[in-house]
Amino acid sequence: MSSPNPSLRSFNTLGLDIAADAIVLADTSEAILHAWQTSQQTQKPFLLLGEGSNVLFLENFAGTVVINRIKGVEISEQHESWHLHVGAGENWHQLVKTTLQKGLPGLENLALIPGLVGSAPIQNIGAYGVELKDVCEYVDVLHLNDGRTERLHRDDCQFSYRDSIFKHQYQHGYAIVALGLKLSKQWQPVLTYGELARLNPATVTAHEIFDTVCQMRQSKLPDPRLTGNVGSFFKNPLVSTEKADGLLLHWPAIPRYPQHSGEVKLAAGWLIDQCQLKGHRIGGAAVHRQQALVLINEDNATPQDIVALAHYVRQCVGEKFGVWLEPEVRFIGAQGERNAVEVIS
Protein backbone atom coordinates (compact mmCIF):
# COMPACT_ATOMS: atom_id res chain seq x y z
CA MET A 1 0.00 0.00 0.00
CA SER A 2 1.51 3.34 -1.00
CA SER A 3 0.56 6.87 -1.95
CA PRO A 4 2.47 9.51 -3.94
CA ASN A 5 4.01 12.61 -2.33
CA PRO A 6 2.19 12.20 0.99
CA SER A 7 2.78 14.08 4.24
CA LEU A 8 4.70 12.45 7.07
CA ARG A 9 2.99 14.61 9.70
CA SER A 10 1.14 11.63 11.21
CA PHE A 11 4.28 9.46 11.05
CA ASN A 12 6.53 11.64 13.23
CA THR A 13 5.65 12.57 16.80
CA LEU A 14 7.08 16.07 16.42
CA GLY A 15 4.16 16.65 14.06
CA LEU A 16 6.31 18.23 11.35
CA ASP A 17 4.53 18.56 8.00
CA ILE A 18 7.25 16.94 5.93
CA ALA A 19 6.61 15.22 2.60
CA ALA A 20 8.08 12.05 1.11
CA ASP A 21 8.05 10.80 -2.47
CA ALA A 22 6.03 7.82 -1.25
CA ILE A 23 4.95 6.04 1.93
CA VAL A 24 4.60 2.25 2.04
CA LEU A 25 2.87 0.41 4.90
CA ALA A 26 4.64 -2.96 5.10
CA ASP A 27 3.21 -5.84 7.15
CA THR A 28 5.62 -8.51 5.85
CA SER A 29 9.35 -8.84 5.18
CA GLU A 30 8.47 -9.31 1.51
CA ALA A 31 6.74 -5.93 1.39
CA ILE A 32 9.80 -4.23 2.90
CA LEU A 33 12.03 -6.05 0.42
CA HIS A 34 9.87 -5.05 -2.55
CA ALA A 35 9.94 -1.37 -1.52
CA TRP A 36 13.72 -1.56 -1.12
CA GLN A 37 14.20 -3.14 -4.55
CA THR A 38 12.00 -0.47 -6.14
CA SER A 39 14.00 2.30 -4.48
CA GLN A 40 17.22 0.71 -5.75
CA GLN A 41 15.89 0.48 -9.29
CA THR A 42 14.80 4.13 -9.24
CA GLN A 43 17.94 5.20 -7.34
CA LYS A 44 15.89 6.94 -4.69
CA PRO A 45 16.57 7.08 -0.92
CA PHE A 46 14.91 4.52 1.35
CA LEU A 47 13.94 4.95 5.00
CA LEU A 48 12.40 2.39 7.36
CA LEU A 49 10.30 3.97 10.08
CA GLY A 50 8.32 2.74 13.08
CA GLU A 51 6.19 5.34 14.81
CA GLY A 52 8.56 8.24 14.13
CA SER A 53 8.98 8.84 17.86
CA ASN A 54 12.74 9.32 17.68
CA VAL A 55 13.29 11.19 14.41
CA LEU A 56 13.66 14.82 13.39
CA PHE A 57 13.01 15.36 9.69
CA LEU A 58 15.18 18.26 8.56
CA GLU A 59 13.47 18.65 5.17
CA ASN A 60 11.26 16.77 2.71
CA PHE A 61 12.46 13.21 2.17
CA ALA A 62 13.43 12.57 -1.45
CA GLY A 63 12.49 8.89 -1.51
CA THR A 64 10.31 6.14 -0.06
CA VAL A 65 9.47 5.87 3.63
CA VAL A 66 8.47 2.34 4.66
CA ILE A 67 6.36 2.07 7.80
CA ASN A 68 7.07 -1.24 9.57
CA ARG A 69 3.79 -2.98 10.47
CA ILE A 70 5.00 -6.57 10.96
CA LYS A 71 2.89 -7.96 13.83
CA GLY A 72 2.78 -11.01 16.08
CA VAL A 73 3.72 -12.01 19.63
CA GLU A 74 4.67 -15.64 20.33
CA ILE A 75 5.39 -16.79 23.89
CA SER A 76 7.10 -20.03 24.89
CA GLU A 77 7.98 -21.28 28.36
CA GLN A 78 11.12 -22.99 29.58
CA HIS A 79 12.17 -24.13 33.03
CA GLU A 80 13.82 -20.85 34.11
CA SER A 81 12.40 -18.26 31.74
CA TRP A 82 9.79 -17.16 29.24
CA HIS A 83 10.83 -16.49 25.66
CA LEU A 84 9.05 -14.01 23.41
CA HIS A 85 9.31 -13.65 19.64
CA VAL A 86 7.81 -10.28 18.70
CA GLY A 87 7.17 -8.70 15.31
CA ALA A 88 9.01 -5.42 14.76
CA GLY A 89 5.77 -3.58 14.03
CA GLU A 90 4.25 -4.19 17.47
CA ASN A 91 3.84 -1.18 19.78
CA TRP A 92 6.43 -1.32 22.57
CA HIS A 93 4.25 -0.07 25.43
CA GLN A 94 1.43 -2.40 24.44
CA LEU A 95 3.92 -5.28 24.59
CA VAL A 96 4.92 -4.26 28.12
CA LYS A 97 1.25 -4.21 29.15
CA THR A 98 0.57 -7.58 27.48
CA THR A 99 3.44 -9.32 29.25
CA LEU A 100 2.30 -8.04 32.65
CA GLN A 101 -1.29 -9.09 31.96
CA LYS A 102 0.01 -12.59 31.22
CA GLY A 103 2.04 -12.67 34.44
CA LEU A 104 5.44 -12.22 32.78
CA PRO A 105 7.37 -9.51 34.65
CA GLY A 106 10.64 -7.95 33.51
CA LEU A 107 9.68 -5.11 31.15
CA GLU A 108 7.83 -2.91 33.65
CA ASN A 109 10.63 -0.31 33.99
CA LEU A 110 10.41 0.24 30.22
CA ALA A 111 6.73 1.20 30.26
CA LEU A 112 5.48 4.13 28.16
CA ILE A 113 8.60 4.36 26.02
CA PRO A 114 7.14 5.45 22.68
CA GLY A 115 7.77 3.63 19.43
CA LEU A 116 7.69 0.14 17.99
CA VAL A 117 9.49 -3.04 19.00
CA GLY A 118 11.75 -2.89 15.94
CA SER A 119 13.16 0.48 17.00
CA ALA A 120 14.07 -0.70 20.50
CA PRO A 121 17.38 -2.44 19.62
CA ILE A 122 18.63 0.49 17.52
CA GLN A 123 18.70 2.82 20.52
CA ASN A 124 19.12 0.07 23.10
CA ILE A 125 16.17 1.78 24.79
CA GLY A 126 16.37 2.16 28.52
CA ALA A 127 14.71 3.79 31.50
CA TYR A 128 14.82 3.66 35.30
CA GLY A 129 17.78 1.29 35.54
CA VAL A 130 16.82 -1.23 32.83
CA GLU A 131 17.98 -1.38 29.21
CA LEU A 132 16.81 -3.53 26.33
CA LYS A 133 20.11 -5.44 26.38
CA ASP A 134 19.13 -6.80 29.82
CA VAL A 135 16.19 -8.73 28.33
CA CYS A 136 17.13 -9.11 24.65
CA GLU A 137 17.91 -12.60 23.41
CA TYR A 138 18.22 -11.96 19.67
CA VAL A 139 17.30 -9.61 16.84
CA ASP A 140 16.15 -10.91 13.44
CA VAL A 141 17.51 -8.77 10.63
CA LEU A 142 16.47 -8.79 6.99
CA HIS A 143 19.35 -8.30 4.54
CA LEU A 144 17.81 -6.08 1.89
CA ASN A 145 20.43 -6.86 -0.75
CA ASP A 146 19.75 -10.59 -0.91
CA GLY A 147 16.50 -11.13 1.04
CA ARG A 148 17.92 -13.48 3.67
CA THR A 149 17.10 -13.15 7.38
CA GLU A 150 19.92 -13.32 9.92
CA ARG A 151 19.52 -13.84 13.66
CA LEU A 152 21.91 -11.70 15.69
CA HIS A 153 22.23 -12.86 19.28
CA ARG A 154 22.49 -10.26 22.00
CA ASP A 155 26.26 -10.30 22.26
CA ASP A 156 26.51 -9.70 18.50
CA CYS A 157 24.39 -6.53 18.71
CA GLN A 158 27.14 -4.45 20.37
CA PHE A 159 24.71 -2.84 22.76
CA SER A 160 25.92 0.15 24.78
CA TYR A 161 24.29 3.31 26.12
CA ARG A 162 21.78 4.41 23.44
CA ASP A 163 23.87 2.62 20.85
CA SER A 164 24.10 -0.66 18.95
CA ILE A 165 25.42 -2.29 15.79
CA PHE A 166 22.21 -1.07 14.11
CA LYS A 167 23.57 2.48 14.19
CA HIS A 168 26.82 1.38 12.57
CA GLN A 169 27.56 -1.73 10.45
CA TYR A 170 23.86 -2.63 10.22
CA GLN A 171 22.53 0.87 9.65
CA HIS A 172 22.11 0.78 5.87
CA GLY A 173 20.72 -2.08 3.81
CA TYR A 174 19.12 -3.91 6.72
CA ALA A 175 15.69 -4.04 8.36
CA ILE A 176 14.86 -5.32 11.83
CA VAL A 177 11.86 -7.64 11.44
CA ALA A 178 11.58 -9.34 14.87
CA LEU A 179 12.94 -9.26 18.40
CA GLY A 180 13.54 -12.13 20.82
CA LEU A 181 13.17 -11.41 24.53
CA LYS A 182 14.04 -13.57 27.53
CA LEU A 183 12.25 -12.88 30.82
CA SER A 184 13.61 -14.72 33.84
CA LYS A 185 11.21 -16.44 36.22
CA GLN A 186 13.56 -15.35 39.02
CA TRP A 187 12.24 -11.79 38.85
CA GLN A 188 14.20 -9.09 40.65
CA PRO A 189 12.72 -5.57 40.93
CA VAL A 190 14.95 -2.69 39.79
CA LEU A 191 14.27 0.28 42.05
CA THR A 192 17.27 2.54 41.58
CA TYR A 193 15.76 5.68 40.06
CA GLY A 194 13.25 8.36 41.02
CA GLU A 195 10.06 7.40 42.82
CA LEU A 196 10.92 3.71 42.44
CA ALA A 197 13.52 4.07 45.20
CA ARG A 198 10.67 4.66 47.66
CA LEU A 199 9.06 1.29 46.98
CA ASN A 200 9.70 -1.66 49.28
CA PRO A 201 11.79 -4.26 47.42
CA ALA A 202 10.49 -7.02 49.70
CA THR A 203 6.83 -6.50 48.79
CA VAL A 204 6.76 -4.55 45.51
CA THR A 205 5.07 -6.08 42.47
CA ALA A 206 5.82 -5.61 38.80
CA HIS A 207 2.41 -3.93 38.41
CA GLU A 208 3.32 -1.35 41.08
CA ILE A 209 6.56 -0.58 39.27
CA PHE A 210 4.67 -0.28 35.98
CA ASP A 211 2.14 2.13 37.51
CA THR A 212 4.87 4.21 39.15
CA VAL A 213 6.90 4.44 35.94
CA CYS A 214 3.79 5.50 34.01
CA GLN A 215 3.02 8.18 36.59
CA MET A 216 6.59 9.51 36.49
CA ARG A 217 6.72 9.62 32.71
CA GLN A 218 3.29 11.21 32.35
CA SER A 219 4.12 13.87 34.94
CA LYS A 220 7.29 14.88 33.09
CA LEU A 221 6.72 14.15 29.44
CA PRO A 222 4.08 15.77 27.23
CA ASP A 223 1.70 13.56 25.25
CA PRO A 224 2.90 13.74 21.61
CA ARG A 225 -0.73 13.49 20.49
CA LEU A 226 -1.26 16.91 22.10
CA THR A 227 2.19 18.51 21.92
CA GLY A 228 4.73 17.42 19.33
CA ASN A 229 7.88 15.96 20.86
CA VAL A 230 10.30 13.04 20.68
CA GLY A 231 10.70 12.50 24.41
CA SER A 232 14.26 12.97 25.61
CA PHE A 233 16.00 15.01 22.92
CA PHE A 234 19.54 14.62 24.28
CA LYS A 235 21.47 11.66 25.65
CA ASN A 236 22.56 11.73 29.27
CA PRO A 237 26.28 12.46 28.84
CA LEU A 238 28.98 10.07 29.99
CA VAL A 239 32.07 11.76 31.45
CA SER A 240 35.27 10.63 33.14
CA THR A 241 35.41 10.26 36.92
CA GLU A 242 37.84 13.17 37.01
CA LYS A 243 35.45 15.40 35.10
CA ALA A 244 32.55 14.38 37.34
CA ASP A 245 34.59 15.08 40.49
CA GLY A 246 35.49 18.52 39.17
CA LEU A 247 31.85 19.34 38.48
CA LEU A 248 30.89 18.11 41.96
CA LEU A 249 33.20 20.69 43.54
CA HIS A 250 31.31 23.53 41.86
CA TRP A 251 27.82 21.98 41.91
CA PRO A 252 27.44 19.71 44.96
CA ALA A 253 23.83 18.84 44.01
CA ILE A 254 24.70 17.55 40.53
CA PRO A 255 23.10 14.11 39.91
CA ARG A 256 25.74 11.53 39.00
CA TYR A 257 25.46 7.83 38.25
CA PRO A 258 28.70 5.78 38.21
CA GLN A 259 28.77 3.20 35.41
CA HIS A 260 30.36 -0.24 35.17
CA SER A 261 32.66 1.19 32.47
CA GLY A 262 34.26 3.50 35.03
CA GLU A 263 32.61 6.55 33.50
CA VAL A 264 29.95 8.65 35.21
CA LYS A 265 26.55 9.38 33.69
CA LEU A 266 25.18 12.89 34.22
CA ALA A 267 21.57 14.01 33.93
CA ALA A 268 21.22 16.10 30.78
CA GLY A 269 17.90 17.51 31.97
CA TRP A 270 19.53 18.82 35.17
CA LEU A 271 22.35 20.45 33.22
CA ILE A 272 19.85 22.18 30.90
CA ASP A 273 17.72 23.22 33.86
CA GLN A 274 20.71 24.87 35.54
CA CYS A 275 21.01 27.07 32.46
CA GLN A 276 17.43 28.23 33.19
CA LEU A 277 16.22 27.20 29.76
CA LYS A 278 12.80 25.80 30.61
CA GLY A 279 10.30 27.60 28.40
CA HIS A 280 13.02 29.11 26.20
CA ARG A 281 11.66 29.44 22.69
CA ILE A 282 13.06 29.88 19.19
CA GLY A 283 10.38 30.27 16.53
CA GLY A 284 7.73 27.65 17.18
CA ALA A 285 10.06 25.35 19.15
CA ALA A 286 10.46 25.48 22.93
CA VAL A 287 12.13 23.75 25.86
CA HIS A 288 9.38 21.98 27.79
CA ARG A 289 8.50 23.76 31.02
CA GLN A 290 8.22 20.59 33.12
CA GLN A 291 11.16 18.59 31.71
CA ALA A 292 14.14 20.46 30.28
CA LEU A 293 15.32 17.38 28.39
CA VAL A 294 12.30 17.60 26.06
CA LEU A 295 12.09 20.00 23.11
CA ILE A 296 8.55 20.58 21.88
CA ASN A 297 6.76 21.75 18.76
CA GLU A 298 4.83 24.45 20.59
CA ASP A 299 3.45 26.42 17.66
CA ASN A 300 3.91 25.07 14.13
CA ALA A 301 7.67 24.78 14.54
CA THR A 302 9.83 24.22 11.49
CA PRO A 303 12.73 21.77 11.50
CA GLN A 304 15.01 24.82 11.44
CA ASP A 305 13.41 26.12 14.66
CA ILE A 306 14.11 22.82 16.44
CA VAL A 307 17.69 22.63 15.14
CA ALA A 308 18.34 26.23 16.25
CA LEU A 309 16.93 25.53 19.70
CA ALA A 310 18.97 22.33 20.06
CA HIS A 311 22.10 24.28 19.04
CA TYR A 312 21.37 26.97 21.62
CA VAL A 313 20.76 24.45 24.42
CA ARG A 314 23.96 22.59 23.56
CA GLN A 315 25.99 25.82 23.56
CA CYS A 316 24.60 26.99 26.89
CA VAL A 317 25.36 23.68 28.62
CA GLY A 318 28.77 23.41 26.96
CA GLU A 319 29.84 26.89 28.00
CA LYS A 320 28.59 26.50 31.60
CA PHE A 321 29.73 22.95 32.37
CA GLY A 322 32.23 22.01 29.66
CA VAL A 323 29.93 19.10 28.77
CA TRP A 324 28.72 18.88 25.18
CA LEU A 325 25.35 17.22 24.76
CA GLU A 326 24.59 14.86 21.88
CA PRO A 327 21.09 14.34 20.48
CA GLU A 328 19.41 11.04 21.18
CA VAL A 329 17.16 11.75 18.20
CA ARG A 330 17.94 10.60 14.66
CA PHE A 331 18.21 13.51 12.21
CA ILE A 332 16.86 12.70 8.74
CA GLY A 333 17.75 14.80 5.69
CA ALA A 334 16.45 14.57 2.12
CA GLN A 335 18.77 11.66 1.28
CA GLY A 336 18.79 9.86 4.63
CA GLU A 337 20.27 10.07 8.11
CA ARG A 338 22.58 12.95 8.99
CA ASN A 339 25.10 13.28 11.82
CA ALA A 340 23.04 15.02 14.51
CA VAL A 341 25.99 16.52 16.37
CA GLU A 342 27.34 18.04 13.16
CA VAL A 343 23.94 19.53 12.33
CA ILE A 344 23.56 21.34 15.68
CA SER A 345 27.23 22.27 16.24
Side-chain angles (χ1 to χ4, degrees):
M1 174 184 174
S2 65
S3 51
N5 302 315
S7 171
L8 289 163
R9 183 192 288 272
S10 62
F11 294 107
N12 74 100
T13 59
L14 273 166
L16 299 174
D17 193 11
I18 296 295
D21 277 10
I23 294 176
V24 175
L25 302 182
D27 58 4
T28 64
S29 295
E30 291 74 22
I32 295 176
L33 200 58
H34 177 72
W36 163 264
Q37 291 166 344
T38 301
S39 72
Q40 292 297 102
Q41 291 163 3
T42 56
Q43 296 185 312
K44 290 290 188 73
F46 172 94
L47 178 67
L48 186 64
L49 208 59
E51 289 186 344
S53 59
N54 197 50
V55 294
L56 167 59
F57 284 100
L58 302 173
E59 56 198 327
N60 290 341
F61 189 71
T64 297
V65 175
V66 175
I67 310 297
N68 193 330
R69 290 291 181 264
I70 298 174
K71 302 286 190 178
V73 180
E74 301 170 15
I75 301 172
S76 60
E77 183 177 0
Q78 293 186 5
H79 181 63
E80 296 182 345
S81 56
W82 291 281
H83 298 260
L84 284 72
H85 179 86
V86 188
E90 291 284 347
N91 177 272
W92 176 264
H93 179 63
Q94 185 57 51
L95 174 68
V96 175
K97 286 172 47 176
T98 298
T99 56
L100 286 178
Q101 288 164 359
K102 292 182 178 295
L104 317 181
L107 300 181
E108 56 281 343
N109 292 58
L110 303 176
L112 268 188
I113 294 180
L116 300 184
V117 165
S119 304
I122 300 172
Q123 285 287 103
N124 181 28
I125 60 169
Y128 303 110
V130 176
E131 290 182 317
L132 180 78
K133 68 178 178 62
D134 300 324
V135 293
C136 179
E137 190 167 26
Y138 59 81
V139 179
D140 284 349
V141 181
L142 176 66
H143 287 244
L144 297 173
N145 285 326
D146 58 18
R148 67 188 173 92
T149 299
E150 177 186 11
R151 176 158 294 181
L152 289 179
H153 291 273
R154 179 180 66 176
D155 293 344
D156 300 322
C157 295
Q158 299 177 17
F159 289 128
S160 59
Y161 177 63
R162 297 298 178 271
D163 202 12
S164 71
I165 197 172
F166 308 108
K167 284 189 171 184
H168 303 285
Q169 297 98 308
Y170 279 66
Q171 182 175 3
H172 301 294
Y174 304 90
I176 293 172
V177 294
L179 182 61
L181 300 174
K182 179 181 179 180
L183 303 180
S184 173
K185 292 183 179 180
Q186 300 298 314
W187 177 71
Q188 294 288 333
V190 179
L191 306 172
T192 48
Y193 283 81
E195 299 294 318
L196 295 178
R198 300 182 182 181
L199 300 176
N200 184 345
T203 59
V204 71
T205 67
H207 284 277
E208 287 178 288
I209 294 174
F210 173 87
D211 290 340
T212 304
V213 167
C214 289
Q215 289 166 6
M216 285 192 291
R217 292 187 75 91
Q218 288 168 336
S219 70
K220 295 178 180 178
L221 303 175
D223 186 340
R225 293 171 295 184
L226 304 175
T227 304
N229 74 93
V230 285
S232 301
F233 196 91
F234 295 99
K235 300 176 185 177
N236 288 320
L238 293 169
V239 300
S240 67
T241 303
E242 293 75 20
K243 175 68 176 178
D245 290 344
L247 290 170
L248 191 64
L249 289 175
H250 292 92
W251 291 278
I254 187 170
R256 40 184 285 159
Y257 306 98
Q259 304 294 296
H260 294 305
S261 63
E263 296 175 297
V264 177
K265 185 191 293 184
L266 305 178
W270 187 90
L271 299 175
I272 298 168
D273 201 14
Q274 297 308 300
C275 298
Q276 300 181 324
L277 291 175
K278 282 180 178 174
H280 186 82
R281 182 166 164 169
I282 294 180
V287 179
H288 188 48
R289 288 162 183 79
Q290 277 71 50
Q291 171 52 273
L293 194 51
V294 178
L295 306 187
I296 60 173
N297 179 355
E298 188 165 70
D299 184 19
N300 293 314
T302 65
Q304 291 71 34
D305 293 339
I306 297 169
V307 168
L309 182 62
H311 169 80
Y312 183 75
V313 169
R314 185 174 192 262
Q315 288 299 123
C316 290
V317 171
E319 290 167 10
K320 187 178 183 74
F321 295 100
V323 175
W324 295 90
L325 299 179
E326 298 184 5
E328 184 172 312
V329 185
R330 298 172 63 201
F331 283 32
I332 309 296
Q335 300 294 319
E337 188 154 2
R338 299 268 306 276
N339 183 299
V341 173
E342 290 179 2
V343 172
I344 66 168
S345 295

